[in-house]
Amino acid sequence: MEAMAPVTFRVATVADLPTILALLADDSIARSRTGYTAEPTPSVRAAFDEISADPNNELIVGELAGEVIATLQITYIHGLSRGGMRRALVEAVRVRSDLRGQRIGEQLMEDAMARARARGCGLMQLTTDKRRTDAHRFYARLGFEASHEGMKRAL
């Protein structure tokens, strides 16, 4: 088996937006949600601009041979609980479907954890849809624990 070229990780640029949206779109659960879009609409572009301008947010992409193949968003949260410990919230983790199972997601999450540690975070948290059983196993393998019950409400 031929060794895969190394995956590199960096902060996304606006040029990455169509590929990021395609990665997010390659998911039946995401497509079933309100507000889903595969096109960089003005509101999606505004959201990208706001994330990019916010020092407590990073949109990360993974590249393989110059092509974006993975993404996630990290939000760094300051809080008073746990003695003022800073935490990182990870969302929208995706690896291109034809490359799953090659530990790219693990590398992506390791990069995110390193970024969070560098920002002084003592905890990384995430939510994952109850239907994503493969994702649950993936996160458990990385040491994440299902310690809380998440709840959401539309506004």
Side-chain angles (χ1 to χ4, degrees):
M1 182 174 167
E2 186 177 319
M4 183 187 325
V7 178
T8 57
F9 302 97
R10 62 172 173 78
V11 174
T13 67
V14 71
D16 300 318
L17 188 54
T19 306
I20 292 168
L21 292 175
L23 287 167
L24 296 174
D26 189 17
D27 179 88
S28 62
I29 293 172
R31 284 192 306 269
S32 71
R33 294 181 181 142
T34 303
Y36 159 79
T37 180
E39 297 297 320
T41 63
S43 36
V44 168
R45 175 58 196 265
F48 177 88
D49 292 343
E50 190 171 328
I51 292 165
S52 297
D54 183 345
N56 289 310
N57 269 290
E58 290 184 308
L59 188 58
I60 304 300
V61 294
E63 282 187 320
L64 178 62
E67 186 176 356
V68 172
I69 53 120
T71 190
L72 60 70
Q73 180 178 342
I74 310 171
T75 302
Y76 303 101
I77 304 168
H78 301 271
L80 301 178
S81 64
R82 297 185 185 225
M85 182 179 67
R86 189 180 282 178
R87 65 187 69 205
L89 174 66
V90 175
E91 297 186 335
V93 178
R94 297 288 193 285
V95 173
R96 203 172 75 194
S97 59
D98 64 318
L99 296 173
R100 291 181 192 145
Q102 298 184 39
R103 299 231 135 129
I104 294 167
E106 182 176 336
Q107 293 174 59
L108 178 64
M109 290 297 294
E110 290 292 340
D111 179 79
M113 288 185 271
R115 290 171 187 274
R117 284 186 204 99
R119 294 281 197 110
C121 295
L123 179 75
M124 180 171 277
Q125 61 192 35
L126 55 86
T127 61
T128 179
D129 193 288
K130 289 183 177 188
R131 296 170 285 180
R132 296 185 189 280
T133 55
D134 289 344
H136 302 164
R137 285 189 297 276
F138 167 73
Y139 292 123
R141 186 169 54 78
L142 297 181
F144 287 82
E145 297 175 3
S147 61
H148 291 68
E149 184 74 20
M151 300 176 86
K152 295 183 180 186
R153 179 181 175 193
L155 299 177

